[in-house]
Amino acid sequence: MTTITVAKGDGIGPEIMEATLEVILAAGAQLRIEEIEVGEKVYLAGNTSGIAASAWDTIRRNKVFLKAPITTPQGGGYKSLNVTTRKFLGLYSNVRPCRSLHPYVSTKHPVMDLVIVRENEEDLYAGIEHQQTDEVVQCLKLISRPGCEKIVRYAFEYAKQQGRRKVTCFTKDNIMKQTDGLFHRVFEEIAREYPDIENEHWIIDIGAAKLADTPELFDVIVMPNLYGDVLSDVAAQITGSVGMAGSANIGEECAMFEAIHGSAPRRAGQNVANPSGLLQGAIMMLNHIGQTAVAEKVQNAWLKTLEDGIHTYDIFKEGVSSRKVGTKEFAQAVIANLGKRPSVLKPVSYANSAALELPRYKRRQAADKVLEGVDLFVHWPGLEADELASALTALETQEVKLNMITNRGIKVWPEGFKETFCTDHWRCRFKPVKGARMTKQTIIELLAKAEARGIDSIKTENLYAFNGEQAYSLGQGQ
Ligand code: NAD
């Protein structure tokens, strides 16, 4: 018997949760259910995170959370409960299987069967954003070695467990050499530990095009957060319906399971919603808690029900479907098929699908870190980089000199192009002269001089070499 936390959510949430629980309990799931309230009601009662402190206690105590979709009210500074839950509970891995159910669910990709493993905590989702000048805002993209190691290892271990043959990595490291570069490097390092699994890397743009065009080329795909967010919806959609896919959010301690779709408020209370997405999430949950035989029984009954042509409105098609049913009737049909297996679609076998045991991240020995310069970011409304450069040379000392100025990453001094469009946000790089050593004190002095001369410094970024390797980007055109 496993105790799980359940949230029935908003919109169609309560109906699809009821259907899902009915099916898995009828299949013999050994569950004790503790229900919590999250979502719209909690938000509207004035809690901007959509969840009360006592509900967190329940989730953290039980460690396994089955969640129906919720409605995030528009405006009012309401924080996404999904993002908060993933981050607070360290649910670093988002797993989304996307499989075609041809010929029972219409799709242009009849043989597609892939799994997207999306990093779930980092990247642009760290949510660190600032306005720095009248014209420029920024969002920090944070990628960490532990983040990369954990998700990439998860992808390979998952592939091994599921008997999948290949893991593909998507990044944009031709442009983001530090952040996506780290993700790609870690992928190559970890791939070497799994010689029996094929590995490959695609630049995300052509990778995404291939995924949309020939998804049958892929098996497991691992990627940073933002790309994974976008492409997992694309992958689910091209199987025929986003309403059919479930997702698992896995951490070292806790896990959350859900449908990938939202609360579809316009369909609420009408007994029409398809419970399949949440049921798929629940099947992943049963595998996670080791109730693999029940998970297998439910999945095969679900496949058989789809094969029988018993379909909810979203996948109903004249000539293919035999009966259009509501949420409750669909659940009853799956229950009636428990113990049966599909005959055209491939039945599943989950004998080895229990939770993966992954090693804890081990921090490496600290590198030799040397300060090699500083980027001083300046808010300056002028247009001529040469003019800014002459103002900045007044900040130079015996040890540090102005090395270059870029605007939105493009080098505009020395020897810029007059055609380059410039905003009011300038990155001014200072580097030590040959033989001189730079310290934090040098940066403080630079800032003090800038302040005394009325130059509006908005931030500094230190330029480091780690173990002798330059660890910052050059200016475009440098
Ligand atoms: P949605 O996924 O709720 O709906 C998109 C479309 O798909 C609608 O036409 C809907 O009727 C249909 N649909 C979705 N699920 C279905 C199902 N199970 N059966 C049949 N049809 C289904 O997306 P949306 O309309 O953009 O968002 C509605 C609300 O859901 C918003 O408040 C949003 O914040 C929230 N949302 C929540 C989650 C979550 O809790 N995980 C995820 C996405 C969106």
Side-chain angles (χ1 to χ4, degrees):
M1 189 70 79
T2 304
T3 307
I4 64 165
T5 307
V6 163
K8 290 191 172 163
D10 302 313
I12 58 170
E15 298 161 69
I16 59 173
M17 182 60 85
E18 202 177 303
T20 297
L21 292 176
E22 216 182 323
V23 171
I24 61 176
L25 292 172
Q30 298 295 304
L31 300 173
R32 211 173 68 78
I33 290 165
E34 274 192 59
E35 202 182 317
I36 55 164
E37 176 104 60
V38 297
E40 201 170 19
K41 274 202 214 116
V42 184
Y43 282 119
L44 296 178
N47 188 324
T48 52
S49 59
I51 177 165
S54 58
W56 276 127
D57 294 342
T58 311
I59 293 173
R60 293 171 75 188
R61 187 174 59 246
N62 296 334
K63 301 195 188 310
V64 178
F65 182 21
L66 181 63
K67 184 185 137 302
I70 58 159
T71 303
T72 311
Q74 298 286 311
Y78 301 112
K79 287 285 208 183
S80 156
L81 177 63
N82 275 351
V83 177
T84 312
T85 310
R86 287 170 191 165
K87 288 202 187 161
F88 269 165
L89 299 180
L91 309 182
Y92 65 89
S93 178
N94 184 230
V95 185
R96 287 191 183 185
C98 300
R99 172 184 175 186
S100 294
L101 297 159
H102 174 81
Y104 305 103
V105 178
S106 302
T107 168
K108 294 182 190 129
H109 303 287
V111 288
M112 168 175 181
D113 180 9
L114 59 84
V115 181
I116 293 197
V117 177
R118 161 191 171 193
E119 198 290 315
N120 222 5
E121 296 180 285
E122 310 197 327
D123 196 358
L124 292 160
Y125 286 72
I128 307 176
E129 292 193 298
H130 306 93
Q131 177 163 3
Q132 296 184 318
T133 67
D134 291 316
E135 295 177 346
V136 176
V137 288
Q138 75 163 16
C139 175
L140 280 188
K141 173 163 165 129
L142 290 178
I143 301 274
S144 74
R145 175 168 273 278
C148 296
E149 283 193 12
K150 278 165 35 176
I151 195 68
V152 172
R153 192 171 293 288
Y154 189 93
F156 276 98
E157 284 293 327
Y158 180 88
K160 190 164 105 181
Q161 181 199 54
Q162 301 285 320
R164 289 186 173 259
R165 67 192 150 80
K166 181 167 79 171
V167 180
T168 305
C169 174
F170 284 176
T171 72
K172 187 79 183 171
D173 68 336
N174 53 333
I175 303 296
M176 284 162 277
K177 297 189 165 74
Q178 294 294 326
T179 48
D180 284 23
L182 176 62
F183 196 95
H184 186 178
R185 265 201 320 281
V186 169
F187 176 77
E188 308 244 296
E189 281 168 27
I190 291 182
R192 284 197 281 277
E193 296 175 30
Y194 298 85
D196 296 337
I197 299 172
E198 214 182 305
N199 71 81
E200 61 179 11
H201 171 267
W202 289 87
I203 298 291
I204 180 85
D205 37 14
I206 186 63
K210 288 257 180 215
L211 172 66
D213 184 54
T214 39
E216 61 276 13
L217 290 180
F218 298 102
D219 201 345
V220 174
I221 316 179
V222 63
M223 53 191 131
N225 205 341
L226 178 66
Y227 312 140
D229 189 8
V230 176
L231 291 186
S232 56
D233 270 22
V234 171
Q237 180 69 34
I238 64 176
T239 62
S241 165
V242 277
M244 305 282 282
S247 118
N249 297 274
I250 310 280
E252 284 173 354
E253 293 279 328
C254 300
M256 172 172 78
F257 301 86
E258 58 187 344
I260 74 164
H261 59 74
S263 58
R266 284 189 310 119
R267 308 283 181 187
Q270 298 158 40
N271 188 40
V272 293
N274 187 346
S276 296
L278 189 60
L279 188 63
Q280 290 305 304
I283 290 169
M284 286 194 253
M285 176 190 77
L286 291 170
N287 277 327
H288 180 82
I289 60 178
Q291 299 190 23
T292 53
V294 185
E296 185 176 310
K297 193 169 171 189
V298 174
Q299 184 72 318
N300 284 328
W302 178 72
L303 291 168
K304 172 83 170 84
T305 307
L306 294 173
E307 225 177 69
D308 290 346
I310 301 172
H311 294 165
T312 43
Y313 83 93
D314 54 315
I315 55 165
F316 183 85
K317 200 168 174 195
E318 246 7 292
V320 176
S321 311
S322 60
R323 194 148 62 92
K324 191 192 274 183
V325 292
T327 316
K328 285 188 180 143
E329 296 72 28
F330 183 81
Q332 288 312 317
V334 177
I335 291 170
N337 277 332
L338 287 169
K340 297 187 192 153
R341 289 155 68 84
S343 45
V344 177
L345 295 170
K346 201 168 139 226
V348 297
S349 162
Y350 289 147
N352 304 316
S353 289
L356 296 173
E357 296 278 341
L358 270 72
R360 294 237 166 205
Y361 174 74
K362 277 203 212 84
R363 182 163 288 162
R364 298 174 167 204
Q365 200 190 355
D368 179 28
K369 179 175 157 191
V370 174
L371 186 64
E372 288 198 338
V374 66
D375 281 344
L376 174 68
F377 288 76
V378 169
H379 180 181
W380 186 63
L383 291 173
E384 295 298 327
D386 286 352
E387 209 181 302
L388 178 61
S390 43
L392 290 170
T393 45
L395 312 186
E396 292 182 342
T397 64
Q398 297 269 311
E399 292 85 35
V400 289
K401 299 280 178 232
L402 182 64
N403 170 264
M404 72 159 181
I405 303 177
T406 68
N407 196 294
R408 293 186 299 170
I410 304 146
K411 190 189 75 171
V412 291
W413 184 92
E415 290 154 16
F417 281 15
K418 71 173 176 19
E419 292 86 347
T420 305
F421 180 83
C422 289
T423 66
D424 59 359
H425 183 273
W426 307 80
R427 174 190 40 182
C428 311
R429 177 163 291 177
F430 287 86
K431 295 201 88 176
V433 296
K434 214 172 166 38
R437 223 173 74 81
M438 192 170 163
T439 64
K440 297 265 176 61
Q441 193 55 39
T442 328
I443 300 173
I444 293 169
E445 282 159 23
L446 263 179
L447 282 168
K449 280 185 165 180
E451 190 61 13
R453 283 168 178 73
I455 293 169
D456 185 3
S457 328
I458 48 183
K459 71 161 183 174
T460 57
E461 287 288 348
N462 299 348
L463 308 179
Y464 288 115
F466 285 83
N467 288 340
E469 207 172 302
Q470 177 187 296
Y472 48 90
S473 53
L474 296 176
Q476 196 78 43
Q478 198 184 17

